[in-house]
Amino acid sequence: MAWRNRISANPQVCHGKACITGTRIMVSVILDNLAAGVSSEEILQSYPSLTPEDIQAALAYAAEIARERRSAGERGSRQMKFKIDENLPAEFAALLQAAGYDAVTVAEQKLQGNSDALVIEVCRQEERILVTLDLDFADIQTYPPEEFPGIMVLRVSRQDKPYLISVFRRAIPLMAKEPVDHQLWINSSCYLQGLCISIPPNPP
């Protein structure tokens, strides 16, 4: 359905929220009622300004927004680039590459032994997400996530290669659902704009 003929956003009406054109009824009102199980007939009775076509337009609008967000998430996840810190196995880069991501190691770029400040600045310049064991990078006062391409810190009970790889393998699929760019991820908890997603380690 061509919802654009029935839905508009006017800064002067409901602070610019998407509304049914010619009304002050926000699209979210219709969607929330439908989600709560209220029938279309009851919605029309409670909101006399609406027509059956308005309800269909609200559904079409919601479907298109969902498709756009899903596509944006998929594009964003594939465009992410990573830099693996020197304190992690080089196999991390291979795992990311196998998943379709651009990944390099600190060693490959001859940054071994360099300062934290230089490593994170190179990541910023190259727009790469830093993957590291260094817990200090989880300090959001010093490294505000929004100011960097992204930071992933592994805070684990063991640091042997098999265990680290087992933990990282479990995190990779989540990147397609919740892109890491401009966010802070911490090994078993991923913080995305206040949302915590559990990534429990899987012991080998």
Side-chain angles (χ1 to χ4, degrees):
M1 180 180 185
W3 59 262
R4 288 178 176 79
N5 295 329
R6 293 184 171 273
I7 295 175
S8 58
N10 184 337
Q12 303 299 320
V13 177
C14 294
H15 298 87
K17 295 181 176 65
C19 294
I20 299 301
T21 301
T23 77
R24 291 180 53 80
I25 302 173
M26 296 170 287
V27 172
S28 60
V29 170
I30 298 173
L31 297 175
D32 283 351
N33 274 285
L34 290 171
V38 179
S39 67
S40 296
E41 291 75 14
E42 190 173 350
I43 293 174
L44 294 173
Q45 290 175 0
S46 298
Y47 302 91
S49 301
L50 296 178
T51 67
E53 291 75 17
D54 294 330
I55 294 177
Q56 292 303 311
L59 288 170
Y61 172 83
E64 183 164 327
I65 294 299
R67 283 194 299 271
E68 289 179 353
R69 287 181 177 176
R70 182 169 61 249
S71 296
E74 291 170 354
R75 290 194 302 271
S77 67
R78 290 301 174 184
Q79 292 170 353
M80 289 189 295
K81 299 189 296 184
F82 294 85
K83 188 184 300 294
I84 309 303
D85 205 350
E86 191 178 1
N87 49 44
L88 288 169
E91 286 87 346
F92 273 38
L95 289 172
L96 288 167
Q97 291 163 4
Y101 299 104
D102 180 336
V104 297
T105 68
V106 164
E108 286 175 330
Q109 297 189 306
K110 311 300 183 186
L111 292 171
Q112 303 100 311
N114 276 286
S115 67
D116 296 343
L118 177 61
V119 170
I120 196 66
E121 181 57 31
V122 172
C123 286
R124 193 209 303 260
Q125 292 173 4
E126 297 179 351
E127 297 184 349
R128 289 186 181 275
I129 295 161
L130 177 65
V131 186
T132 182
L133 269 180
D134 187 347
L135 290 175
D136 286 345
F137 281 111
D139 181 354
I140 61 174
Q141 300 297 323
T142 305
Y143 305 103
E146 65 276 8
E147 294 184 10
F148 297 93
I151 300 172
M152 179 182 286
V153 178
L154 275 77
R155 183 175 59 197
V156 287
S157 57
R158 291 163 43 190
Q159 298 184 3
D160 56 280
K161 183 176 87 170
Y163 185 72
L164 289 172
I165 288 177
S166 73
V167 171
F168 195 58
R169 282 186 191 276
R170 292 170 65 88
I172 290 176
L174 292 176
M175 297 176 193
K177 301 175 183 178
E178 297 290 347
V180 195
D181 51 320
H182 300 289
Q183 309 292 347
L184 168 65
W185 277 38
I186 302 178
N187 76 320
S188 58
S189 296
C190 145
Y191 297 90
L192 301 175
Q193 299 177 346
L195 176 64
C196 180
I197 300 174
S198 177
I199 313 173
N202 185 23

